[in-house]
Amino acid sequence: MSSDTKKKSKKSSSTSGGVESKLKVVYSDKDVIVMTAPNEDELKQILLDLLNEKPMNLKELHSMLSGIASEDKIRRALADLVEKGKINLLEDGRYVKLGTE
């Protein structure tokens, strides 16, 4: 049982630990943590931070942000970032932050 807990904590710390640290905690106890969802600007910054690590496609980004932002909100934020020239959509469907290629 403790190995399952370790696996879960490793996964959440490596995939979304940075994301969760940017969200405001509304309520917390030993069993649950309730955080506010990011607004549009916060979501864009989270996406930029994630893409700074490596290029990712929409599916990868959505899996990292599941429970935090819907696929539609992520798609809109990505489209806006592309339009503003902060990220680029590669031919293989991955998004990359400009200046990190």
Coordinates of all heavy atoms in Angstrom, one line a residue:
M1 N 0.8 -1.2 0.0 CA 0.0 0.0 0.0 C 0.9 1.3 0.0 O 0.6 2.2 -0.7 CB -0.9 0.0 1.2 CG -1.9 1.1 1.2 SD -3.0 0.9 2.6 CE -4.3 1.8 2.2
S2 N 1.9 1.2 0.8 CA 2.8 2.4 0.8 C 3.5 2.6 -0.5 O 3.8 3.7 -0.9 CB 3.8 2.3 1.9 OG 4.7 1.2 1.7
S3 N 3.8 1.5 -1.3 CA 4.4 1.7 -2.6 C 3.5 2.4 -3.6 O 3.9 3.2 -4.4 CB 4.9 0.3 -3.2 OG 3.8 -0.5 -3.4
D4 N 2.1 2.1 -3.5 CA 1.2 2.8 -4.3 C 1.2 4.3 -4.0 O 1.1 5.2 -4.8 CB -0.3 2.3 -4.1 CG -0.4 0.9 -4.7 OD1 0.4 0.5 -5.5 OD2 -1.4 0.2 -4.3
T5 N 1.2 4.6 -2.7 CA 1.3 6.0 -2.2 C 2.5 6.7 -2.8 O 2.4 7.8 -3.3 CB 1.2 6.1 -0.7 OG1 0.1 5.4 -0.2 CG2 1.1 7.6 -0.3
K6 N 3.6 6.0 -2.7 CA 4.9 6.6 -3.2 C 4.8 6.9 -4.7 O 5.2 7.9 -5.2 CB 6.1 5.7 -2.9 CG 6.5 5.7 -1.5 CD 7.6 4.8 -1.2 CE 8.0 4.6 0.2 NZ 9.0 3.7 0.5
K7 N 4.2 5.9 -5.4 CA 4.1 6.1 -6.9 C 3.2 7.3 -7.2 O 3.5 8.1 -8.1 CB 3.5 4.8 -7.5 CG 4.4 3.7 -7.6 CD 3.7 2.5 -8.3 CE 4.6 1.3 -8.2 NZ 4.0 0.1 -8.7
K8 N 2.1 7.4 -6.5 CA 1.2 8.5 -6.8 C 1.9 9.8 -6.4 O 1.8 10.8 -7.2 CB -0.1 8.4 -6.0 CG -1.0 7.3 -6.5 CD -2.3 7.2 -5.7 CE -3.2 6.1 -6.1 NZ -4.3 5.9 -5.3
S9 N 2.6 9.9 -5.3 CA 3.2 11.2 -4.9 C 4.3 11.5 -5.9 O 4.5 12.6 -6.2 CB 3.7 11.1 -3.5 OG 4.7 10.2 -3.3
K10 N 5.1 10.5 -6.4 CA 6.1 10.8 -7.3 C 5.5 11.3 -8.6 O 6.0 12.3 -9.2 CB 6.9 9.5 -7.6 CG 8.0 9.2 -6.6 CD 8.7 8.0 -7.1 CE 9.7 7.5 -6.1 NZ 10.4 6.3 -6.5
K11 N 4.4 10.7 -9.1 CA 3.8 11.1 -10.3 C 3.3 12.5 -10.2 O 3.5 13.4 -11.1 CB 2.7 10.2 -10.7 CG 2.1 10.5 -12.0 CD 0.9 9.6 -12.4 CE 0.3 10.0 -13.7 NZ -0.9 9.3 -14.0
S12 N 2.6 12.8 -9.2 CA 2.0 14.2 -9.0 C 3.1 15.2 -8.8 O 2.9 16.3 -9.3 CB 0.9 14.2 -8.0 OG 1.3 13.6 -6.8
S13 N 4.2 14.9 -8.1 CA 5.2 15.9 -8.0 C 6.0 16.1 -9.3 O 6.4 17.2 -9.5 CB 6.1 15.5 -6.8 OG 6.9 14.3 -7.2
S14 N 6.1 15.1 -10.1 CA 6.9 15.3 -11.3 C 6.0 15.9 -12.4 O 6.6 16.6 -13.3 CB 7.5 14.0 -11.8 OG 6.5 13.1 -12.2
T15 N 4.7 15.7 -12.4 CA 3.9 16.2 -13.5 C 3.2 17.5 -13.2 O 3.2 18.3 -14.1 CB 2.9 15.1 -13.9 OG1 2.1 14.8 -12.8 CG2 3.5 13.9 -14.5
S16 N 2.7 17.6 -12.0 CA 1.9 18.8 -11.8 C 2.2 19.5 -10.5 O 1.5 20.4 -10.1 CB 0.4 18.4 -11.8 OG 0.2 17.5 -10.7
G17 N 3.3 19.2 -9.9 CA 3.7 19.8 -8.7 C 4.0 21.3 -8.9 O 3.6 22.1 -8.1
G18 N 4.6 21.7 -10.0 CA 4.8 23.1 -10.3 C 3.5 23.8 -10.6 O 3.3 25.0 -10.2
V19 N 2.6 23.1 -11.2 CA 1.3 23.7 -11.5 C 0.5 24.0 -10.3 O 0.0 25.1 -10.0 CB 0.5 22.8 -12.5 CG1 -0.9 23.3 -12.7 CG2 1.2 22.6 -13.8
E20 N 0.5 23.0 -9.4 CA -0.3 23.1 -8.2 C 0.2 24.2 -7.2 O -0.5 24.8 -6.5 CB -0.4 21.8 -7.4 CG -1.2 20.8 -8.2 CD -1.2 19.4 -7.5 OE1 -0.4 19.2 -6.6 OE2 -1.9 18.5 -8.0
S21 N 1.5 24.4 -7.3 CA 2.1 25.5 -6.4 C 1.7 26.9 -6.9 O 1.8 27.8 -6.1 CB 3.6 25.4 -6.4 OG 4.1 25.7 -7.7
K22 N 1.2 27.0 -8.1 CA 0.7 28.3 -8.6 C -0.7 28.6 -8.3 O -1.2 29.7 -8.5 CB 1.0 28.4 -10.1 CG 2.4 28.4 -10.4 CD 2.6 28.4 -11.9 CE 4.1 28.1 -12.1 NZ 4.7 28.7 -13.2
L23 N -1.5 27.6 -7.8 CA -2.9 27.8 -7.5 C -3.2 28.1 -6.1 O -2.4 27.6 -5.2 CB -3.6 26.5 -7.9 CG -3.5 26.1 -9.4 CD1 -4.1 24.7 -9.6 CD2 -4.0 27.1 -10.3
K24 N -4.2 28.9 -5.8 CA -4.5 29.3 -4.5 C -5.3 28.2 -3.8 O -6.3 27.7 -4.3 CB -5.4 30.6 -4.5 CG -5.8 31.1 -3.2 CD -6.7 32.3 -3.3 CE -7.2 32.7 -1.9 NZ -8.2 33.7 -1.9
V25 N -4.8 27.8 -2.6 CA -5.5 26.8 -1.8 C -6.7 27.4 -1.0 O -6.5 28.4 -0.3 CB -4.5 26.1 -0.8 CG1 -5.3 25.1 0.1 CG2 -3.4 25.4 -1.5
V26 N -7.9 26.9 -1.2 CA -9.1 27.4 -0.6 C -9.3 26.6 0.7 O -9.7 27.2 1.7 CB -10.3 27.2 -1.5 CG1 -11.6 27.7 -0.8 CG2 -10.1 28.0 -2.8
Y27 N -9.1 25.3 0.7 CA -9.3 24.5 1.9 C -8.4 23.3 1.8 O -8.0 22.8 0.8 CB -10.8 24.0 1.9 CG -11.0 22.9 2.9 CD1 -11.3 23.3 4.2 CD2 -11.0 21.6 2.6 CE1 -11.5 22.4 5.2 CE2 -11.3 20.6 3.6 CZ -11.5 21.0 4.9 OH -11.7 20.1 5.9
S28 N -7.9 22.9 3.0 CA -7.0 21.8 3.0 C -7.2 21.0 4.4 O -7.3 21.6 5.4 CB -5.5 22.3 2.9 OG -4.6 21.2 3.1
D29 N -7.2 19.7 4.3 CA -7.1 18.9 5.5 C -6.3 17.6 5.1 O -5.7 17.6 4.0 CB -8.5 18.5 6.0 CG -9.3 17.7 5.1 OD1 -8.8 16.9 4.3 OD2 -10.6 17.7 5.2
K30 N -6.3 16.6 6.0 CA -5.4 15.5 5.7 C -5.8 14.6 4.5 O -5.0 13.9 3.9 CB -5.3 14.6 6.9 CG -6.6 13.9 7.3 CD -6.4 13.0 8.5 CE -7.7 12.3 8.8 NZ -7.5 11.0 9.3
D31 N -7.1 14.8 4.1 CA -7.6 13.9 3.0 C -7.8 14.7 1.7 O -7.7 14.0 0.6 CB -9.0 13.3 3.4 CG -8.8 12.4 4.5 OD1 -7.8 11.7 4.6 OD2 -9.8 12.4 5.4
V32 N -8.0 16.0 1.7 CA -8.3 16.7 0.5 C -7.7 18.1 0.5 O -7.5 18.7 1.5 CB -9.8 16.8 0.3 CG1 -10.5 17.6 1.3 CG2 -10.2 17.2 -1.1
I33 N -7.4 18.6 -0.7 CA -6.9 19.9 -0.9 C -7.8 20.5 -2.0 O -7.9 20.0 -3.1 CB -5.4 20.0 -1.3 CG1 -4.5 19.4 -0.2 CG2 -5.0 21.5 -1.6 CD1 -3.1 19.3 -0.6
V34 N -8.4 21.7 -1.7 CA -9.3 22.3 -2.7 C -8.6 23.6 -3.1 O -8.2 24.4 -2.3 CB -10.7 22.7 -2.1 CG1 -11.5 23.4 -3.1 CG2 -11.4 21.4 -1.6
M35 N -8.4 23.7 -4.5 CA -7.7 24.9 -5.0 C -8.6 25.6 -6.0 O -9.5 24.9 -6.6 CB -6.4 24.5 -5.7 CG -5.4 23.8 -4.8 SD -4.0 23.3 -5.8 CE -3.5 21.9 -4.9
T36 N -8.3 26.9 -6.2 CA -9.1 27.6 -7.3 C -8.5 27.2 -8.6 O -7.3 26.9 -8.8 CB -8.9 29.1 -7.1 OG1 -7.6 29.5 -7.1 CG2 -9.6 29.6 -5.8
A37 N -9.4 27.2 -9.6 CA -8.9 27.0 -11.0 C -8.2 28.2 -11.5 O -8.5 29.3 -11.0 CB -10.1 26.7 -11.9
P38 N -7.2 28.1 -12.3 CA -6.5 29.2 -12.8 C -7.4 30.1 -13.8 O -8.2 29.5 -14.5 CB -5.3 28.6 -13.6 CG -5.8 27.3 -14.0 CD -6.7 26.8 -12.9
N39 N -7.2 31.4 -13.7 CA -7.9 32.3 -14.7 C -7.1 32.1 -16.0 O -6.1 31.4 -16.1 CB -8.0 33.7 -14.2 CG -6.6 34.4 -14.0 OD1 -5.7 34.1 -14.8 ND2 -6.5 35.3 -13.0
E40 N -7.6 32.9 -17.0 CA -7.0 32.7 -18.3 C -5.6 33.1 -18.4 O -4.8 32.3 -19.0 CB -7.8 33.6 -19.3 CG -7.5 33.4 -20.8 CD -8.4 34.3 -21.7 OE1 -9.5 34.6 -21.3 OE2 -7.9 34.7 -22.7
D41 N -5.2 34.2 -17.7 CA -3.8 34.6 -17.8 C -2.9 33.6 -17.0 O -1.8 33.3 -17.4 CB -3.6 36.0 -17.2 CG -4.2 37.0 -18.1 OD1 -4.2 36.8 -19.3 OD2 -4.6 38.1 -17.6
E42 N -3.4 33.1 -15.9 CA -2.6 32.1 -15.1 C -2.4 30.8 -15.9 O -1.4 30.2 -15.9 CB -3.3 31.8 -13.8 CG -3.3 32.9 -12.8 CD -4.2 32.7 -11.6 OE1 -5.2 32.0 -11.7 OE2 -3.9 33.3 -10.5
L43 N -3.5 30.4 -16.6 CA -3.4 29.2 -17.4 C -2.4 29.3 -18.5 O -1.6 28.4 -18.8 CB -4.8 28.8 -18.0 CG -4.8 27.6 -18.9 CD1 -4.4 26.4 -18.2 CD2 -6.2 27.4 -19.5
K44 N -2.4 30.5 -19.2 CA -1.4 30.8 -20.2 C 0.1 30.7 -19.6 O 0.9 30.1 -20.3 CB -1.6 32.1 -20.9 CG -2.8 32.2 -21.7 CD -3.1 33.5 -22.3 CE -4.4 33.6 -22.9 NZ -4.8 35.0 -23.3
Q45 N 0.3 31.2 -18.5 CA 1.6 31.2 -17.8 C 2.0 29.7 -17.5 O 3.1 29.3 -17.7 CB 1.7 32.1 -16.6 CG 3.0 32.2 -16.0 CD 4.1 32.7 -17.0 OE1 3.9 33.7 -17.6 NE2 5.2 32.0 -17.2
I46 N 1.0 29.0 -17.0 CA 1.2 27.6 -16.7 C 1.6 26.8 -17.9 O 2.6 26.0 -17.9 CB 0.0 26.9 -16.0 CG1 -0.2 27.5 -14.6 CG2 0.1 25.4 -16.0 CD1 -1.5 27.2 -14.0
L47 N 0.9 27.1 -19.0 CA 1.2 26.4 -20.3 C 2.6 26.8 -20.8 O 3.4 25.9 -21.2 CB 0.2 26.8 -21.4 CG -1.2 26.2 -21.2 CD1 -2.2 26.8 -22.1 CD2 -1.1 24.6 -21.3
L48 N 3.0 28.1 -20.7 CA 4.3 28.5 -21.1 C 5.4 27.8 -20.2 O 6.4 27.4 -20.8 CB 4.5 30.0 -21.0 CG 3.7 30.8 -22.0 CD1 3.7 32.3 -21.7 CD2 4.3 30.6 -23.4
D49 N 5.2 27.7 -18.9 CA 6.1 27.0 -18.1 C 6.3 25.6 -18.4 O 7.4 25.0 -18.4 CB 5.7 27.1 -16.6 CG 5.8 28.6 -16.1 OD1 6.4 29.4 -16.7 OD2 5.2 28.8 -15.0
L50 N 5.2 24.9 -18.7 CA 5.2 23.5 -19.1 C 6.0 23.3 -20.4 O 6.8 22.4 -20.6 CB 3.8 22.9 -19.2 CG 3.1 22.7 -17.9 CD1 1.6 22.3 -18.1 CD2 3.8 21.6 -17.0
L51 N 5.7 24.2 -21.4 CA 6.3 24.1 -22.7 C 7.8 24.5 -22.7 O 8.5 24.2 -23.6 CB 5.5 24.9 -23.7 CG 4.1 24.4 -24.1 CD1 3.4 25.3 -24.9 CD2 4.2 23.0 -24.7
N52 N 8.2 25.2 -21.6 CA 9.5 25.6 -21.5 C 10.4 24.3 -21.2 O 11.6 24.3 -21.6 CB 9.7 26.6 -20.3 CG 11.0 27.4 -20.4 OD1 11.5 27.7 -21.4 ND2 11.5 27.6 -19.2
E53 N 9.8 23.3 -20.6 CA 10.5 22.1 -20.3 C 10.7 21.2 -21.5 O 11.8 20.7 -21.7 CB 9.7 21.3 -19.2 CG 9.6 22.0 -17.9 CD 8.7 21.2 -16.9 OE1 8.4 20.0 -17.2 OE2 8.2 21.8 -16.0
K54 N 9.7 21.1 -22.3 CA 9.8 20.3 -23.6 C 8.5 20.5 -24.4 O 7.5 20.9 -23.9 CB 9.9 18.8 -23.2 CG 8.6 18.2 -22.6 CD 8.8 16.7 -22.4 CE 7.4 16.2 -22.0 NZ 7.4 14.7 -22.0
P55 N 8.6 20.3 -25.7 CA 7.4 20.4 -26.6 C 6.4 19.4 -26.2 O 6.8 18.2 -25.9 CB 8.0 20.2 -28.0 CG 9.5 20.5 -27.9 CD 9.8 20.1 -26.5
M56 N 5.1 19.7 -26.2 CA 4.1 18.7 -25.9 C 2.9 19.0 -26.8 O 2.6 20.1 -27.3 CB 3.6 18.9 -24.5 CG 4.6 18.5 -23.5 SD 4.0 18.5 -21.8 CE 4.9 19.9 -21.2
N57 N 2.1 17.9 -27.0 CA 0.9 18.1 -27.8 C -0.3 18.3 -26.8 O -0.1 18.3 -25.6 CB 0.6 16.8 -28.7 CG 0.4 15.5 -27.9 OD1 0.0 15.6 -26.7 ND2 0.8 14.4 -28.5
L58 N -1.4 18.6 -27.4 CA -2.6 19.0 -26.6 C -3.0 17.8 -25.6 O -3.3 18.1 -24.5 CB -3.8 19.3 -27.5 CG -5.1 19.6 -26.8 CD1 -5.0 20.9 -26.0 CD2 -6.2 19.7 -27.8
K59 N -2.9 16.6 -26.1 CA -3.2 15.5 -25.2 C -2.3 15.4 -24.0 O -2.8 15.2 -22.8 CB -3.1 14.2 -26.0 CG -3.6 13.0 -25.2 CD -3.5 11.7 -26.1 CE -4.0 10.5 -25.3 NZ -4.0 9.3 -26.1
E60 N -1.0 15.6 -24.2 CA -0.1 15.6 -23.0 C -0.3 16.8 -22.1 O -0.4 16.6 -20.9 CB 1.4 15.7 -23.6 CG 1.9 14.5 -24.3 CD 3.2 14.8 -25.0 OE1 3.3 15.7 -25.8 OE2 4.2 14.0 -24.7
L61 N -0.6 17.9 -22.6 CA -0.9 19.1 -21.8 C -2.2 18.9 -21.0 O -2.2 19.1 -19.8 CB -1.0 20.4 -22.6 CG 0.4 20.9 -23.2 CD1 0.1 21.9 -24.3 CD2 1.2 21.4 -22.1
H62 N -3.2 18.4 -21.7 CA -4.5 18.1 -21.0 C -4.3 17.1 -19.9 O -4.9 17.2 -18.8 CB -5.5 17.7 -22.0 CG -6.9 17.5 -21.3 ND1 -7.5 16.3 -21.2 CD2 -7.7 18.4 -20.8 CE1 -8.6 16.5 -20.6 NE2 -8.8 17.7 -20.3
S63 N -3.5 16.0 -20.1 CA -3.4 15.0 -19.1 C -2.6 15.6 -17.9 O -2.9 15.2 -16.7 CB -2.6 13.8 -19.6 OG -1.3 14.1 -19.8
M64 N -1.7 16.5 -18.1 CA -1.0 17.2 -16.9 C -1.9 18.1 -16.2 O -1.7 18.4 -15.0 CB 0.2 17.9 -17.4 CG 1.3 17.0 -18.0 SD 2.7 17.8 -18.5 CE 3.6 17.9 -17.0
L65 N -2.9 18.7 -16.9 CA -3.8 19.7 -16.3 C -5.2 19.2 -16.1 O -6.1 20.0 -15.8 CB -3.8 21.0 -17.2 CG -2.5 21.6 -17.5 CD1 -2.6 22.7 -18.5 CD2 -1.9 22.2 -16.2
S66 N -5.4 17.9 -16.2 CA -6.7 17.4 -15.9 C -7.2 17.7 -14.5 O -6.4 17.6 -13.6 CB -6.8 15.9 -16.2 OG -6.0 15.2 -15.2
G67 N -8.4 18.1 -14.4 CA -8.9 18.5 -13.1 C -8.6 20.0 -12.8 O -9.1 20.5 -11.8
I68 N -7.8 20.6 -13.6 CA -7.4 22.0 -13.3 C -8.1 22.9 -14.4 O -8.6 23.9 -14.1 CB -5.9 22.2 -13.3 CG1 -5.3 21.4 -12.1 CG2 -5.5 23.6 -13.3 CD1 -3.8 21.3 -12.1
A69 N -8.0 22.4 -15.7 CA -8.5 23.2 -16.8 C -9.1 22.2 -17.8 O -8.5 21.1 -18.1 CB -7.5 24.0 -17.4
S70 N -10.2 22.6 -18.5 CA -10.8 21.7 -19.5 C -9.9 21.8 -20.8 O -9.2 22.7 -21.0 CB -12.2 22.2 -19.8 OG -12.2 23.5 -20.5
E71 N -10.1 20.8 -21.6 CA -9.4 20.7 -22.9 C -9.8 22.0 -23.7 O -8.9 22.5 -24.4 CB -9.8 19.5 -23.6 CG -9.0 19.3 -24.9 CD -9.3 18.0 -25.6 OE1 -9.7 17.0 -25.0 OE2 -9.1 18.0 -26.9
D72 N -11.0 22.4 -23.7 CA -11.4 23.6 -24.5 C -10.7 24.8 -24.0 O -10.2 25.6 -24.8 CB -12.9 23.7 -24.4 CG -13.5 24.7 -25.4 OD1 -13.0 24.7 -26.5 OD2 -14.3 25.6 -25.0
K73 N -10.6 25.0 -22.7 CA -9.8 26.2 -22.2 C -8.4 26.1 -22.5 O -7.8 27.1 -22.9 CB -10.0 26.3 -20.7 CG -11.4 26.8 -20.2 CD -11.4 27.0 -18.7 CE -12.8 27.5 -18.4 NZ -12.9 27.8 -16.9
I74 N -7.8 24.9 -22.5 CA -6.4 24.8 -22.8 C -6.2 25.1 -24.3 O -5.3 25.8 -24.7 CB -5.9 23.3 -22.5 CG1 -5.9 23.1 -21.0 CG2 -4.5 23.1 -23.1 CD1 -5.7 21.7 -20.6
R75 N -7.1 24.6 -25.2 CA -7.0 24.8 -26.6 C -7.1 26.3 -26.9 O -6.4 26.8 -27.7 CB -8.2 24.1 -27.3 CG -8.1 24.0 -28.8 CD -9.3 23.3 -29.4 NE -9.5 22.0 -28.8 CZ -9.0 20.9 -29.3 NH1 -8.1 20.9 -30.3 NH2 -9.3 19.7 -28.7
R76 N -8.0 27.0 -26.2 CA -8.2 28.5 -26.5 C -6.9 29.2 -26.0 O -6.5 30.1 -26.7 CB -9.4 29.0 -25.7 CG -10.7 28.9 -26.5 CD -11.8 29.6 -25.8 NE -12.0 28.9 -24.5 CZ -13.1 28.6 -23.9 NH1 -14.2 29.0 -24.5 NH2 -13.2 28.0 -22.8
A77 N -6.4 28.9 -24.9 CA -5.2 29.5 -24.4 C -4.0 29.3 -25.3 O -3.2 30.2 -25.6 CB -4.9 29.0 -23.0
L78 N -3.9 28.0 -25.8 CA -2.8 27.7 -26.8 C -3.0 28.5 -28.1 O -2.0 29.1 -28.6 CB -2.8 26.2 -27.1 CG -2.3 25.3 -26.0 CD1 -2.6 23.9 -26.3 CD2 -0.8 25.5 -25.7
A79 N -4.2 28.6 -28.6 CA -4.4 29.4 -29.8 C -4.1 30.9 -29.6 O -3.5 31.5 -30.5 CB -5.9 29.3 -30.2
D80 N -4.4 31.4 -28.4 CA -4.1 32.8 -28.2 C -2.5 33.0 -28.1 O -2.0 34.0 -28.6 CB -4.7 33.3 -26.9 CG -4.6 34.8 -26.7 OD1 -5.0 35.5 -27.6 OD2 -4.1 35.2 -25.6
L81 N -1.9 32.0 -27.4 CA -0.4 32.1 -27.3 C 0.3 32.0 -28.7 O 1.3 32.7 -29.0 CB 0.1 31.1 -26.4 CG -0.2 31.3 -24.9 CD1 0.1 30.0 -24.1 CD2 0.6 32.5 -24.3
V82 N -0.3 31.2 -29.6 CA 0.2 31.1 -30.9 C 0.0 32.4 -31.7 O 0.9 32.9 -32.3 CB -0.4 29.9 -31.7 CG1 -0.1 30.0 -33.2 CG2 0.0 28.5 -31.1
E83 N -1.2 32.9 -31.5 CA -1.5 34.2 -32.2 C -0.6 35.3 -31.7 O -0.2 36.2 -32.5 CB -3.0 34.6 -31.9 CG -3.5 35.8 -32.7 CD -4.9 36.1 -32.4 OE1 -5.7 35.1 -32.5 OE2 -5.2 37.2 -32.0
K84 N -0.2 35.3 -30.5 CA 0.6 36.4 -29.9 C 2.1 36.1 -30.2 O 3.0 36.9 -29.8 CB 0.4 36.5 -28.4 CG -0.9 37.1 -28.1 CD -1.2 37.3 -26.6 CE -2.5 38.0 -26.4 NZ -2.8 38.0 -24.9
G85 N 2.4 35.0 -30.8 CA 3.8 34.7 -31.1 C 4.7 34.2 -30.0 O 5.9 34.2 -30.1
K86 N 4.0 33.7 -28.9 CA 4.8 33.2 -27.8 C 5.1 31.7 -27.9 O 6.1 31.2 -27.3 CB 4.0 33.4 -26.5 CG 3.9 34.9 -26.2 CD 3.3 35.2 -24.9 CE 3.3 36.7 -24.6 NZ 2.8 37.0 -23.3
I87 N 4.3 30.9 -28.6 CA 4.5 29.5 -28.9 C 4.2 29.2 -30.3 O 3.7 30.1 -31.1 CB 3.7 28.6 -28.0 CG1 2.2 28.8 -28.3 CG2 4.0 28.8 -26.5 CD1 1.3 27.8 -27.6
N88 N 4.6 28.1 -30.8 CA 4.4 27.7 -32.2 C 3.9 26.3 -32.2 O 4.3 25.4 -31.4 CB 5.7 27.8 -32.9 CG 5.5 27.8 -34.4 OD1 4.4 28.0 -34.9 ND2 6.6 27.7 -35.2
L89 N 3.1 26.0 -33.2 CA 2.6 24.6 -33.4 C 3.4 23.9 -34.5 O 3.5 24.4 -35.6 CB 1.1 24.6 -33.9 CG 0.4 23.3 -34.1 CD1 0.5 22.4 -32.9 CD2 -1.0 23.5 -34.6
L90 N 4.1 22.9 -34.1 CA 5.0 22.1 -35.0 C 4.1 21.2 -35.9 O 2.9 20.9 -35.6 CB 6.0 21.3 -34.2 CG 6.9 22.0 -33.2 CD1 7.7 21.1 -32.4 CD2 7.8 23.0 -34.0
E91 N 4.7 20.7 -37.0 CA 4.0 19.9 -37.9 C 3.5 18.6 -37.3 O 2.5 18.0 -37.8 CB 4.9 19.6 -39.1 CG 5.1 20.8 -40.0 CD 6.0 20.5 -41.2 OE1 6.2 19.3 -41.5 OE2 6.5 21.4 -41.8
D92 N 4.2 18.1 -36.3 CA 3.8 16.9 -35.7 C 2.7 17.0 -34.6 O 2.3 16.1 -33.9 CB 5.0 16.1 -35.1 CG 5.7 16.9 -34.0 OD1 5.2 18.0 -33.6 OD2 6.7 16.4 -33.4
G93 N 2.2 18.3 -34.4 CA 1.1 18.5 -33.5 C 1.5 18.9 -32.1 O 0.7 19.2 -31.2
R94 N 2.8 19.0 -31.9 CA 3.3 19.5 -30.6 C 3.5 21.0 -30.6 O 3.8 21.6 -31.6 CB 4.7 18.8 -30.3 CG 4.6 17.4 -30.1 CD 6.0 16.8 -29.8 NE 6.9 17.1 -30.9 CZ 8.2 17.2 -30.7 NH1 8.8 17.0 -29.5 NH2 9.0 17.4 -31.7
Y95 N 3.3 21.6 -29.4 CA 3.5 23.0 -29.2 C 4.8 23.2 -28.6 O 5.3 22.4 -27.8 CB 2.4 23.6 -28.3 CG 1.0 23.6 -28.9 CD1 0.2 22.5 -28.8 CD2 0.6 24.7 -29.6 CE1 -1.1 22.5 -29.3 CE2 -0.7 24.7 -30.2 CZ -1.5 23.6 -30.0 OH -2.7 23.6 -30.6
V96 N 5.5 24.3 -29.0 CA 6.8 24.6 -28.5 C 6.9 26.0 -28.2 O 6.4 26.9 -28.9 CB 8.0 24.2 -29.5 CG1 7.8 24.9 -30.8 CG2 9.3 24.3 -28.9
K97 N 7.5 26.3 -27.0 CA 7.7 27.7 -26.6 C 8.8 28.3 -27.5 O 9.9 27.7 -27.7 CB 8.1 27.8 -25.2 CG 8.2 29.3 -24.7 CD 8.5 29.3 -23.2 CE 8.7 30.7 -22.7 NZ 9.0 30.8 -21.3
L98 N 8.6 29.5 -28.1 CA 9.6 30.1 -29.0 C 10.8 30.5 -28.2 O 10.7 30.9 -27.0 CB 9.0 31.3 -29.7 CG 7.9 30.9 -30.7 CD1 7.3 32.1 -31.3 CD2 8.4 30.0 -31.8
G99 N 12.0 30.2 -28.7 CA 13.2 30.5 -28.0 C 13.8 29.4 -27.3 O 14.8 29.4 -26.7
T100 N 13.0 28.2 -27.3 CA 13.5 27.0 -26.5 C 13.8 25.8 -27.5 O 14.0 24.8 -27.0 CB 12.5 26.6 -25.4 OG1 11.3 26.3 -26.0 CG2 12.4 27.7 -24.4
E101 N 13.7 26.0 -28.8 CA 13.8 24.9 -29.7 C 15.1 24.3 -29.7 O 16.2 24.6 -29.8 CB 13.4 25.4 -31.1 CG 11.9 25.7 -31.2 CD 11.5 26.2 -32.6 OE1 11.4 25.3 -33.4 OE2 11.4 27.4 -32.8

